[in-house]
PDB file of all heavy atoms in Angstrom:
ATOM      1  N   CYS A1260     -22.108  -3.334 -18.740  1.00  0.00           N
ATOM      2  CA  CYS A1260     -23.355  -3.018 -18.056  1.00  0.00           C
ATOM      3  C   CYS A1260     -24.476  -3.771 -18.756  1.00  0.00           C
ATOM      4  O   CYS A1260     -24.422  -4.007 -19.966  1.00  0.00           O
ATOM      5  CB  CYS A1260     -23.646  -1.517 -18.093  1.00  0.00           C
ATOM      6  SG  CYS A1260     -22.454  -0.502 -17.189  1.00  0.00           S
ATOM      7  N   TYR A1261     -25.471  -4.152 -17.978  1.00  0.00           N
ATOM      8  CA  TYR A1261     -26.641  -4.836 -18.520  1.00  0.00           C
ATOM      9  C   TYR A1261     -27.844  -3.899 -18.396  1.00  0.00           C
ATOM     10  O   TYR A1261     -28.140  -3.391 -17.308  1.00  0.00           O
ATOM     11  CB  TYR A1261     -26.914  -6.123 -17.748  1.00  0.00           C
ATOM     12  CG  TYR A1261     -25.807  -7.148 -17.875  1.00  0.00           C
ATOM     13  CD1 TYR A1261     -24.850  -7.291 -16.874  1.00  0.00           C
ATOM     14  CD2 TYR A1261     -25.716  -7.969 -18.993  1.00  0.00           C
ATOM     15  CE1 TYR A1261     -23.830  -8.230 -16.983  1.00  0.00           C
ATOM     16  CE2 TYR A1261     -24.704  -8.914 -19.111  1.00  0.00           C
ATOM     17  CZ  TYR A1261     -23.765  -9.042 -18.104  1.00  0.00           C
ATOM     18  OH  TYR A1261     -22.756  -9.973 -18.219  1.00  0.00           O
ATOM     19  N   ILE A1262     -28.525  -3.673 -19.519  1.00  0.00           N
ATOM     20  CA  ILE A1262     -29.664  -2.756 -19.556  1.00  0.00           C
ATOM     21  C   ILE A1262     -30.940  -3.539 -19.850  1.00  0.00           C
ATOM     22  O   ILE A1262     -30.984  -4.324 -20.804  1.00  0.00           O
ATOM     23  CB  ILE A1262     -29.476  -1.673 -20.636  1.00  0.00           C
ATOM     24  CG1 ILE A1262     -28.185  -0.888 -20.398  1.00  0.00           C
ATOM     25  CG2 ILE A1262     -30.669  -0.724 -20.666  1.00  0.00           C
ATOM     26  CD1 ILE A1262     -27.898   0.148 -21.469  1.00  0.00           C
ATOM     27  N   CYS A1263     -31.949  -3.320 -19.042  1.00  0.00           N
ATOM     28  CA  CYS A1263     -33.253  -3.935 -19.291  1.00  0.00           C
ATOM     29  C   CYS A1263     -34.341  -3.028 -18.740  1.00  0.00           C
ATOM     30  O   CYS A1263     -34.232  -2.533 -17.609  1.00  0.00           O
ATOM     31  CB  CYS A1263     -33.339  -5.306 -18.629  1.00  0.00           C
ATOM     32  SG  CYS A1263     -34.798  -6.267 -19.107  1.00  0.00           S
ATOM     33  N   ASP A1264     -35.369  -2.816 -19.533  1.00  0.00           N
ATOM     34  CA  ASP A1264     -36.429  -1.868 -19.163  1.00  0.00           C
ATOM     35  C   ASP A1264     -35.771  -0.510 -18.873  1.00  0.00           C
ATOM     36  O   ASP A1264     -34.988  -0.020 -19.654  1.00  0.00           O
ATOM     37  CB  ASP A1264     -37.237  -2.378 -17.967  1.00  0.00           C
ATOM     38  CG  ASP A1264     -38.012  -3.658 -18.279  1.00  0.00           C
ATOM     39  OD1 ASP A1264     -38.215  -3.949 -19.463  1.00  0.00           O
ATOM     40  OD2 ASP A1264     -38.405  -4.355 -17.326  1.00  0.00           O
ATOM     41  N   ASN A1265     -36.053   0.044 -17.719  1.00  0.00           N
ATOM     42  CA  ASN A1265     -35.448   1.329 -17.351  1.00  0.00           C
ATOM     43  C   ASN A1265     -34.398   1.135 -16.264  1.00  0.00           C
ATOM     44  O   ASN A1265     -34.216   1.980 -15.390  1.00  0.00           O
ATOM     45  CB  ASN A1265     -36.529   2.299 -16.864  1.00  0.00           C
ATOM     46  CG  ASN A1265     -37.236   1.787 -15.618  1.00  0.00           C
ATOM     47  OD1 ASN A1265     -37.224   0.587 -15.337  1.00  0.00           O
ATOM     48  ND2 ASN A1265     -37.853   2.678 -14.872  1.00  0.00           N
ATOM     49  N   LYS A1266     -33.675   0.009 -16.337  1.00  0.00           N
ATOM     50  CA  LYS A1266     -32.703  -0.345 -15.316  1.00  0.00           C
ATOM     51  C   LYS A1266     -31.342  -0.618 -15.954  1.00  0.00           C
ATOM     52  O   LYS A1266     -31.260  -1.216 -17.021  1.00  0.00           O
ATOM     53  CB  LYS A1266     -33.170  -1.598 -14.558  1.00  0.00           C
ATOM     54  CG  LYS A1266     -34.542  -1.458 -13.917  1.00  0.00           C
ATOM     55  CD  LYS A1266     -35.074  -2.793 -13.453  1.00  0.00           C
ATOM     56  CE  LYS A1266     -36.437  -2.651 -12.771  1.00  0.00           C
ATOM     57  NZ  LYS A1266     -37.468  -2.093 -13.655  1.00  0.00           N
ATOM     58  N   ILE A1267     -30.267  -0.181 -15.279  1.00  0.00           N
ATOM     59  CA  ILE A1267     -28.909  -0.492 -15.719  1.00  0.00           C
ATOM     60  C   ILE A1267     -28.142  -1.077 -14.534  1.00  0.00           C
ATOM     61  O   ILE A1267     -28.075  -0.461 -13.460  1.00  0.00           O
ATOM     62  CB  ILE A1267     -28.156   0.736 -16.239  1.00  0.00           C
ATOM     63  CG1 ILE A1267     -28.959   1.504 -17.280  1.00  0.00           C
ATOM     64  CG2 ILE A1267     -26.812   0.308 -16.829  1.00  0.00           C
ATOM     65  CD1 ILE A1267     -28.267   2.763 -17.785  1.00  0.00           C
ATOM     66  N   PHE A1268     -27.570  -2.246 -14.750  1.00  0.00           N
ATOM     67  CA  PHE A1268     -26.727  -2.886 -13.736  1.00  0.00           C
ATOM     68  C   PHE A1268     -25.276  -2.564 -14.109  1.00  0.00           C
ATOM     69  O   PHE A1268     -24.750  -3.065 -15.098  1.00  0.00           O
ATOM     70  CB  PHE A1268     -27.017  -4.383 -13.703  1.00  0.00           C
ATOM     71  CG  PHE A1268     -28.449  -4.668 -13.349  1.00  0.00           C
ATOM     72  CD1 PHE A1268     -29.420  -4.750 -14.346  1.00  0.00           C
ATOM     73  CD2 PHE A1268     -28.837  -4.768 -12.030  1.00  0.00           C
ATOM     74  CE1 PHE A1268     -30.756  -4.960 -14.023  1.00  0.00           C
ATOM     75  CE2 PHE A1268     -30.176  -4.983 -11.693  1.00  0.00           C
ATOM     76  CZ  PHE A1268     -31.136  -5.072 -12.695  1.00  0.00           C
ATOM     77  N   THR A1269     -24.669  -1.679 -13.330  1.00  0.00           N
ATOM     78  CA  THR A1269     -23.429  -1.013 -13.755  1.00  0.00           C
ATOM     79  C   THR A1269     -22.165  -1.650 -13.205  1.00  0.00           C
ATOM     80  O   THR A1269     -21.069  -1.196 -13.548  1.00  0.00           O
ATOM     81  CB  THR A1269     -23.458   0.470 -13.350  1.00  0.00           C
ATOM     82  OG1 THR A1269     -23.550   0.579 -11.914  1.00  0.00           O
ATOM     83  CG2 THR A1269     -24.629   1.189 -14.002  1.00  0.00           C
ATOM     84  N   GLY A1270     -22.273  -2.675 -12.371  1.00  0.00           N
ATOM     85  CA  GLY A1270     -21.074  -3.299 -11.835  1.00  0.00           C
ATOM     86  C   GLY A1270     -20.178  -2.285 -11.162  1.00  0.00           C
ATOM     87  O   GLY A1270     -20.633  -1.440 -10.384  1.00  0.00           O
ATOM     88  N   ASP A1271     -18.877  -2.341 -11.482  1.00  0.00           N
ATOM     89  CA  ASP A1271     -17.932  -1.392 -10.895  1.00  0.00           C
ATOM     90  C   ASP A1271     -17.534  -0.293 -11.878  1.00  0.00           C
ATOM     91  O   ASP A1271     -16.479   0.324 -11.742  1.00  0.00           O
ATOM     92  CB  ASP A1271     -16.686  -2.129 -10.396  1.00  0.00           C
ATOM     93  CG  ASP A1271     -16.951  -2.922  -9.123  1.00  0.00           C
ATOM     94  OD1 ASP A1271     -18.115  -2.989  -8.693  1.00  0.00           O
ATOM     95  OD2 ASP A1271     -15.990  -3.495  -8.573  1.00  0.00           O
ATOM     96  N   THR A1272     -18.382  -0.059 -12.860  1.00  0.00           N
ATOM     97  CA  THR A1272     -18.148   1.058 -13.772  1.00  0.00           C
ATOM     98  C   THR A1272     -18.642   2.362 -13.164  1.00  0.00           C
ATOM     99  O   THR A1272     -17.917   3.360 -13.116  1.00  0.00           O
ATOM    100  CB  THR A1272     -18.852   0.822 -15.122  1.00  0.00           C
ATOM    101  OG1 THR A1272     -18.292  -0.331 -15.743  1.00  0.00           O
ATOM    102  CG2 THR A1272     -18.691   2.024 -16.047  1.00  0.00           C
ATOM    103  N   LEU A1273     -19.861   2.364 -12.674  1.00  0.00           N
ATOM    104  CA  LEU A1273     -20.503   3.593 -12.191  1.00  0.00           C
ATOM    105  C   LEU A1273     -21.105   3.358 -10.815  1.00  0.00           C
ATOM    106  O   LEU A1273     -21.877   2.423 -10.620  1.00  0.00           O
ATOM    107  CB  LEU A1273     -21.600   4.017 -13.174  1.00  0.00           C
ATOM    108  CG  LEU A1273     -22.487   5.188 -12.790  1.00  0.00           C
ATOM    109  CD1 LEU A1273     -21.673   6.451 -12.544  1.00  0.00           C
ATOM    110  CD2 LEU A1273     -23.540   5.436 -13.877  1.00  0.00           C
ATOM    111  N   PHE A1274     -20.707   4.212  -9.867  1.00  0.00           N
ATOM    112  CA  PHE A1274     -21.245   4.190  -8.513  1.00  0.00           C
ATOM    113  C   PHE A1274     -21.977   5.509  -8.231  1.00  0.00           C
ATOM    114  O   PHE A1274     -21.895   6.457  -9.010  1.00  0.00           O
ATOM    115  CB  PHE A1274     -20.117   4.045  -7.473  1.00  0.00           C
ATOM    116  CG  PHE A1274     -19.299   2.803  -7.598  1.00  0.00           C
ATOM    117  CD1 PHE A1274     -17.912   2.866  -7.488  1.00  0.00           C
ATOM    118  CD2 PHE A1274     -19.884   1.565  -7.809  1.00  0.00           C
ATOM    119  CE1 PHE A1274     -17.132   1.732  -7.582  1.00  0.00           C
ATOM    120  CE2 PHE A1274     -19.115   0.417  -7.905  1.00  0.00           C
ATOM    121  CZ  PHE A1274     -17.743   0.491  -7.790  1.00  0.00           C
ATOM    122  N   PHE A1275     -22.619   5.566  -7.081  1.00  0.00           N
ATOM    123  CA  PHE A1275     -23.243   6.797  -6.612  1.00  0.00           C
ATOM    124  C   PHE A1275     -22.172   7.875  -6.486  1.00  0.00           C
ATOM    125  O   PHE A1275     -21.245   7.772  -5.676  1.00  0.00           O
ATOM    126  CB  PHE A1275     -23.921   6.550  -5.264  1.00  0.00           C
ATOM    127  CG  PHE A1275     -24.493   7.786  -4.626  1.00  0.00           C
ATOM    128  CD1 PHE A1275     -25.719   8.287  -5.037  1.00  0.00           C
ATOM    129  CD2 PHE A1275     -23.801   8.434  -3.620  1.00  0.00           C
ATOM    130  CE1 PHE A1275     -26.250   9.428  -4.450  1.00  0.00           C
ATOM    131  CE2 PHE A1275     -24.329   9.572  -3.022  1.00  0.00           C
ATOM    132  CZ  PHE A1275     -25.552  10.067  -3.446  1.00  0.00           C
ATOM    133  N   CYS A1276     -22.251   8.891  -7.349  1.00  0.00           N
ATOM    134  CA  CYS A1276     -21.325  10.027  -7.354  1.00  0.00           C
ATOM    135  C   CYS A1276     -19.858   9.615  -7.478  1.00  0.00           C
ATOM    136  O   CYS A1276     -18.950  10.345  -7.037  1.00  0.00           O
ATOM    137  CB  CYS A1276     -21.522  10.893  -6.101  1.00  0.00           C
ATOM    138  SG  CYS A1276     -23.032  11.882  -6.172  1.00  0.00           S
ATOM    139  N   SER A1277     -19.618   8.467  -8.074  1.00  0.00           N
ATOM    140  CA  SER A1277     -18.248   8.000  -8.208  1.00  0.00           C
ATOM    141  C   SER A1277     -18.158   6.993  -9.354  1.00  0.00           C
ATOM    142  O   SER A1277     -19.121   6.796 -10.102  1.00  0.00           O
ATOM    143  CB  SER A1277     -17.778   7.365  -6.890  1.00  0.00           C
ATOM    144  OG  SER A1277     -16.392   7.073  -6.938  1.00  0.00           O
ATOM    145  N   CYS A1278     -16.987   6.365  -9.475  1.00  0.00           N
ATOM    146  CA  CYS A1278     -16.798   5.334 -10.495  1.00  0.00           C
ATOM    147  C   CYS A1278     -15.778   4.334  -9.978  1.00  0.00           C
ATOM    148  O   CYS A1278     -15.163   4.526  -8.926  1.00  0.00           O
ATOM    149  CB  CYS A1278     -16.343   5.944 -11.816  1.00  0.00           C
ATOM    150  SG  CYS A1278     -14.685   6.674 -11.780  1.00  0.00           S
ATOM    151  N   GLY A1279     -15.592   3.263 -10.722  1.00  0.00           N
ATOM    152  CA  GLY A1279     -14.688   2.208 -10.299  1.00  0.00           C
ATOM    153  C   GLY A1279     -13.228   2.619 -10.363  1.00  0.00           C
ATOM    154  O   GLY A1279     -12.837   3.520 -11.115  1.00  0.00           O
ATOM    155  N   ARG A1280     -12.416   1.920  -9.577  1.00  0.00           N
ATOM    156  CA  ARG A1280     -10.977   2.145  -9.593  1.00  0.00           C
ATOM    157  C   ARG A1280     -10.395   1.772 -10.951  1.00  0.00           C
ATOM    158  O   ARG A1280     -10.884   0.870 -11.626  1.00  0.00           O
ATOM    159  CB  ARG A1280     -10.307   1.306  -8.505  1.00  0.00           C
ATOM    160  CG  ARG A1280     -10.618   1.758  -7.106  1.00  0.00           C
ATOM    161  CD  ARG A1280     -10.008   0.833  -6.076  1.00  0.00           C
ATOM    162  NE  ARG A1280      -8.546   0.776  -6.184  1.00  0.00           N
ATOM    163  CZ  ARG A1280      -7.753   0.223  -5.253  1.00  0.00           C
ATOM    164  NH1 ARG A1280      -8.299  -0.313  -4.163  1.00  0.00           N
ATOM    165  NH2 ARG A1280      -6.441   0.197  -5.417  1.00  0.00           N
ATOM    166  N   THR A1281      -9.320   2.444 -11.305  1.00  0.00           N
ATOM    167  CA  THR A1281      -8.675   2.163 -12.588  1.00  0.00           C
ATOM    168  C   THR A1281      -7.195   1.807 -12.429  1.00  0.00           C
ATOM    169  O   THR A1281      -6.461   1.729 -13.411  1.00  0.00           O
ATOM    170  CB  THR A1281      -8.799   3.373 -13.531  1.00  0.00           C
ATOM    171  OG1 THR A1281      -8.170   4.518 -12.930  1.00  0.00           O
ATOM    172  CG2 THR A1281     -10.256   3.693 -13.813  1.00  0.00           C
ATOM    173  N   ASP A1282      -6.761   1.569 -11.177  1.00  0.00           N
ATOM    174  CA  ASP A1282      -5.347   1.300 -10.928  1.00  0.00           C
ATOM    175  C   ASP A1282      -5.013  -0.183 -10.862  1.00  0.00           C
ATOM    176  O   ASP A1282      -3.874  -0.555 -10.571  1.00  0.00           O
ATOM    177  CB  ASP A1282      -4.891   2.002  -9.647  1.00  0.00           C
ATOM    178  CG  ASP A1282      -5.704   1.608  -8.419  1.00  0.00           C
ATOM    179  OD1 ASP A1282      -6.857   1.150  -8.579  1.00  0.00           O
ATOM    180  OD2 ASP A1282      -5.195   1.761  -7.291  1.00  0.00           O
ATOM    181  N   PHE A1283      -5.988  -1.046 -11.130  1.00  0.00           N
ATOM    182  CA  PHE A1283      -5.720  -2.477 -11.213  1.00  0.00           C
ATOM    183  C   PHE A1283      -5.254  -2.828 -12.625  1.00  0.00           C
ATOM    184  O   PHE A1283      -5.485  -2.060 -13.565  1.00  0.00           O
ATOM    185  CB  PHE A1283      -6.979  -3.282 -10.872  1.00  0.00           C
ATOM    186  CG  PHE A1283      -7.456  -3.129  -9.456  1.00  0.00           C
ATOM    187  CD1 PHE A1283      -8.795  -2.863  -9.196  1.00  0.00           C
ATOM    188  CD2 PHE A1283      -6.588  -3.267  -8.386  1.00  0.00           C
ATOM    189  CE1 PHE A1283      -9.261  -2.734  -7.893  1.00  0.00           C
ATOM    190  CE2 PHE A1283      -7.038  -3.133  -7.080  1.00  0.00           C
ATOM    191  CZ  PHE A1283      -8.371  -2.866  -6.837  1.00  0.00           C
ATOM    192  N   PRO A1284      -4.622  -3.997 -12.789  1.00  0.00           N
ATOM    193  CA  PRO A1284      -4.252  -4.423 -14.144  1.00  0.00           C
ATOM    194  C   PRO A1284      -5.461  -4.420 -15.078  1.00  0.00           C
ATOM    195  O   PRO A1284      -6.536  -4.903 -14.726  1.00  0.00           O
ATOM    196  CB  PRO A1284      -3.729  -5.851 -13.931  1.00  0.00           C
ATOM    197  CG  PRO A1284      -3.206  -5.846 -12.528  1.00  0.00           C
ATOM    198  CD  PRO A1284      -4.149  -4.961 -11.763  1.00  0.00           C
ATOM    199  N   GLY A1285      -5.273  -3.839 -16.258  1.00  0.00           N
ATOM    200  CA  GLY A1285      -6.381  -3.749 -17.215  1.00  0.00           C
ATOM    201  C   GLY A1285      -7.235  -2.518 -17.049  1.00  0.00           C
ATOM    202  O   GLY A1285      -8.112  -2.250 -17.872  1.00  0.00           O
ATOM    203  N   GLY A1286      -7.005  -1.767 -15.991  1.00  0.00           N
ATOM    204  CA  GLY A1286      -7.779  -0.558 -15.754  1.00  0.00           C
ATOM    205  C   GLY A1286      -7.259   0.612 -16.568  1.00  0.00           C
ATOM    206  O   GLY A1286      -6.086   0.665 -16.939  1.00  0.00           O
ATOM    207  N   SER A1287      -8.141   1.551 -16.834  1.00  0.00           N
ATOM    208  CA  SER A1287      -7.754   2.737 -17.591  1.00  0.00           C
ATOM    209  C   SER A1287      -8.688   3.887 -17.241  1.00  0.00           C
ATOM    210  O   SER A1287      -9.904   3.787 -17.453  1.00  0.00           O
ATOM    211  CB  SER A1287      -7.813   2.468 -19.100  1.00  0.00           C
ATOM    212  OG  SER A1287      -7.756   3.675 -19.834  1.00  0.00           O
ATOM    213  N   TYR A1288      -8.123   4.979 -16.720  1.00  0.00           N
ATOM    214  CA  TYR A1288      -8.949   6.133 -16.397  1.00  0.00           C
ATOM    215  C   TYR A1288      -9.575   6.721 -17.657  1.00  0.00           C
ATOM    216  O   TYR A1288     -10.753   7.091 -17.669  1.00  0.00           O
ATOM    217  CB  TYR A1288      -8.121   7.192 -15.667  1.00  0.00           C
ATOM    218  CG  TYR A1288      -8.931   8.404 -15.274  1.00  0.00           C
ATOM    219  CD1 TYR A1288      -9.803   8.352 -14.180  1.00  0.00           C
ATOM    220  CD2 TYR A1288      -8.866   9.581 -16.009  1.00  0.00           C
ATOM    221  CE1 TYR A1288     -10.565   9.455 -13.826  1.00  0.00           C
ATOM    222  CE2 TYR A1288      -9.617  10.684 -15.658  1.00  0.00           C
ATOM    223  CZ  TYR A1288     -10.470  10.617 -14.577  1.00  0.00           C
ATOM    224  OH  TYR A1288     -11.230  11.699 -14.230  1.00  0.00           O
ATOM    225  N   THR A1289      -8.791   6.793 -18.728  1.00  0.00           N
ATOM    226  CA  THR A1289      -9.313   7.323 -19.989  1.00  0.00           C
ATOM    227  C   THR A1289     -10.506   6.503 -20.465  1.00  0.00           C
ATOM    228  O   THR A1289     -11.530   7.062 -20.882  1.00  0.00           O
ATOM    229  CB  THR A1289      -8.219   7.323 -21.073  1.00  0.00           C
ATOM    230  OG1 THR A1289      -7.138   8.150 -20.635  1.00  0.00           O
ATOM    231  CG2 THR A1289      -8.768   7.849 -22.387  1.00  0.00           C
TER     232      THR A1289
END
């Protein structure tokens, strides 16, 4: 994630009331 001022660009880590998938290679729910 990239943080600047009061903004965070979260990519596919954090979504509105959800989060990114973890079932792709390299993914981990933990």
Side-chain angles (χ1 to χ4, degrees):
C1260 295
Y1261 296 99
I1262 303 177
C1263 190
D1264 295 341
N1265 62 338
K1266 303 168 178 61
I1267 309 178
F1268 299 89
T1269 61
D1271 286 6
T1272 297
L1273 174 58
F1274 300 136
F1275 175 80
C1276 286
S1277 188
C1278 67
R1280 291 176 61 168
T1281 60
D1282 57 337
F1283 295 132
S1287 166
Y1288 181 76
T1289 300

